[in-house]
Amino acid sequence: MPWTLARRAARLNPSTIREILKVTERPGIISLAGGLPAAETFPVAAMAEATARVLRDNPREALQYAASEGYGPLREWVATELATQGLSVDAAQVLITTGSQQGLDLVGKVLVDPGSRVAVESPTYLGALQAFAPFECDFTAIEGDEEGPLPEALEAARGARFMYLLPNFQNPSGRCPSAQRRAQLAEKAVAIGLPIVEDNPYGDLWFDAPPPAPLSAQLGIGENGGAIYLGSFSKVLAPGLRLGYVVAPKTLYPKLLQAKQAADLHTPGFNQRVVHEVIKNGFLNEHVPTIRARYKAQRDAMQAALLRHLHGIGCRWNAPVGGMFFWVELPAALDATALLDRAVEAGVAYVPGAPFFAAPEPRHANTLRLSFVTVPPAQIEQGIAALGRVFAQALG
Ligand code: PMP
């Protein structure tokens, strides 16, 4: 029998990153490619204890079907936590999702029609492009600088369904707009009636000082508020839990909830209860600083290695003040996608920058993303040294 693919299926593409990760799983490759948190930071003992407590105290509720909105105490926790970031929301606005990636899918499902426009940063998170594309939108890429999108460039987003923004230690560029830039972006968004979908999985991973308040704090997520906010437990606990959340205006919440119900009924209640059990008494206040300290040391190690091995051959990079990524610009003559095979042969992998652009142009071909958190400093040094040799050779 012939299968007829839906039109939207044509917009589903293999993730370049997942394809690269397959290569990098080969033994002996130093992978600076994946956005994988350092596994040493996963709180295994706390998870084991919490799991035992949940199974002892509430085994049947924890293993039963549960509410699509999410586990009440966890939703309360999220609302209280967001208040500390200046974001005042009601727990009733919090929808627990199966990773924040599902939040992106639900937002796309509820807000995007074929032919409608979605504005994105340039570059932006590849997983968001993948989540929105099947709903057949057209992307409008908003120009930016080292800090983030340019407020005046937002003009191009006028009429879009929303702009997807990732202000804190952006994946892939690592950039983080100042409070002033955020205020200007929020002001411009209001002026042109542009709703903002703000994704913040990395905000807690700051090194010296917390990032400025989310744009959502300025825009509001109330009845007339202009923002939807997404958060995740992947980078502060563990991604394998698949726990994230969407905070939405009350007017949109029912639609997101219905989309969630249709997608998977609810996020595993067992995981939600275990995570709530782990974090309910302030665990993250002690745990997250240990992640920050580790990642800062790793950032320093990569910064030093980049200076040693890539500086002399005309490469440029940002200096991330949080998060997980360096964004590197090679000399204009080099193409990061074309050179990846040679890098892998030399024992090191990275992600080329081009897939992170909604509309890749030749001028993006020399960009790439490096994660500084996944492998230890000695391997970072070895990996960057190998990259230096590959790029120097390519320059001739
Ligand atoms: N948004 C961004 C910007 C990300 O980098 C990621 C993970 N790489 C996600 C969302 C999805 O995270 P999760 O589904 O694990 O919460």
Side-chain angles (χ1 to χ4, degrees):
M1 298 278 271
W3 298 102
T4 305
L5 276 180
R7 221 173 45 183
R8 86 182 66 81
R11 299 274 202 123
L12 292 168
N13 286 308
S15 156
T16 320
I17 296 186
R18 300 241 154 251
E19 296 301 305
I20 290 169
L21 286 180
K22 281 187 206 154
V23 177
T24 62
E25 275 161 14
R26 280 196 225 141
I29 302 274
I30 297 172
S31 178
L32 308 173
L36 308 183
E40 294 83 354
T41 66
F42 301 159
V44 179
M47 288 290 302
E49 285 162 29
T51 304
R53 279 199 300 276
V54 167
L55 285 174
R56 186 192 61 206
D57 299 339
N58 297 97
R60 306 207 177 268
E61 295 91 329
L63 295 170
Q64 187 54 281
Y65 280 120
S68 301
E69 291 87 341
Y71 179 50
L74 186 61
R75 298 168 74 208
E76 294 283 351
W77 185 93
V78 169
T80 307
E81 169 63 23
L82 293 180
T84 68
Q85 297 180 34
L87 202 59
S88 165
V89 301
D90 198 334
Q93 292 175 264
V94 178
L95 177 63
I96 304 290
T97 54
T98 305
S100 57
Q101 188 68 30
Q102 183 183 46
L104 296 172
D105 178 59
L106 300 179
V107 165
K109 202 169 273 177
V110 165
L111 293 178
V112 177
D113 276 323
S116 62
R117 281 193 308 127
V118 170
V120 293
E121 293 173 71
S122 186
T124 188
Y125 170 50
L126 170 60
L129 294 175
Q130 284 187 304
F132 301 141
F135 302 108
E136 303 179 49
C137 56
D138 293 327
F139 290 114
T140 301
I142 303 299
E143 285 302 320
D145 60 12
E146 313 262 287
E147 232 194 272
L150 292 164
E152 59 274 20
L154 242 57
E155 194 59 46
R158 201 184 270 276
R161 290 290 165 96
F162 58 84
M163 174 153 183
Y164 169 70
L165 262 178
L166 184 41
N168 292 331
F169 321 125
Q170 200 224 27
N171 178 5
S173 71
R175 63 195 188 178
C176 186
S178 64
Q180 192 194 6
R181 174 67 63 88
R182 289 170 198 237
Q184 290 165 341
L185 287 168
E187 209 176 293
K188 184 72 183 172
V190 171
I192 63 174
L194 177 68
I196 299 293
V197 174
E198 180 170 31
D199 191 10
N200 187 19
Y202 300 104
D204 285 322
L205 306 183
W206 47 266
F207 301 148
D208 296 316
L215 261 81
S216 304
Q218 191 169 337
L219 292 167
I221 312 184
E223 287 315 304
N224 304 311
I228 292 177
Y229 179 92
L230 292 96
S232 173
F233 290 100
S234 290
K235 310 301 186 307
V236 292
L237 283 178
L241 295 161
R242 309 306 307 125
L243 266 193
Y245 48 90
V246 177
V247 187
K250 287 182 178 151
T251 43
L252 276 184
Y253 192 94
K255 281 294 157 203
L256 288 165
L257 180 63
Q258 288 152 24
K260 166 76 183 162
Q261 268 165 3
D264 64 354
L265 302 183
H266 63 81
T267 293
F270 186 72
N271 293 15
Q272 296 186 60
R273 281 172 187 259
V274 169
V275 163
H276 181 253
E277 189 62 30
V278 168
I279 65 180
K280 68 181 184 188
N281 294 323
F283 174 80
L284 290 178
N285 296 337
E286 270 124 58
H287 181 60
V288 177
T290 66
I291 305 178
R292 286 181 198 134
R294 172 185 283 265
Y295 286 7
K296 183 178 175 182
Q298 303 253 134
R299 188 268 322 256
D300 291 345
M302 187 170 278
Q303 170 78 12
L306 287 167
L307 272 173
R308 265 194 294 278
H309 304 293
L310 262 62
H311 182 62
I313 52 172
C315 300
R316 299 185 333 134
W317 55 86
N318 65 340
V321 293
M324 303 185 5
F325 307 111
F326 274 89
W327 179 248
V328 179
E329 277 180 39
L330 305 177
L334 298 188
D335 180 330
T337 306
L339 286 169
L340 181 60
D341 283 347
R342 275 201 241 169
V344 170
E345 265 169 47
V348 57
Y350 57 81
V351 187
F356 293 97
F357 293 89
E361 295 172 25
R363 68 187 165 110
H364 302 139
N366 65 333
T367 58
L368 60 95
R369 188 194 77 177
L370 299 172
S371 161
F372 54 84
V373 308
T374 322
V375 305
Q379 282 189 16
I380 289 181
E381 166 61 24
Q382 222 185 320
I384 301 292
L387 281 185
R389 286 192 294 274
V390 169
F391 299 146
Q393 205 183 22
L395 283 168

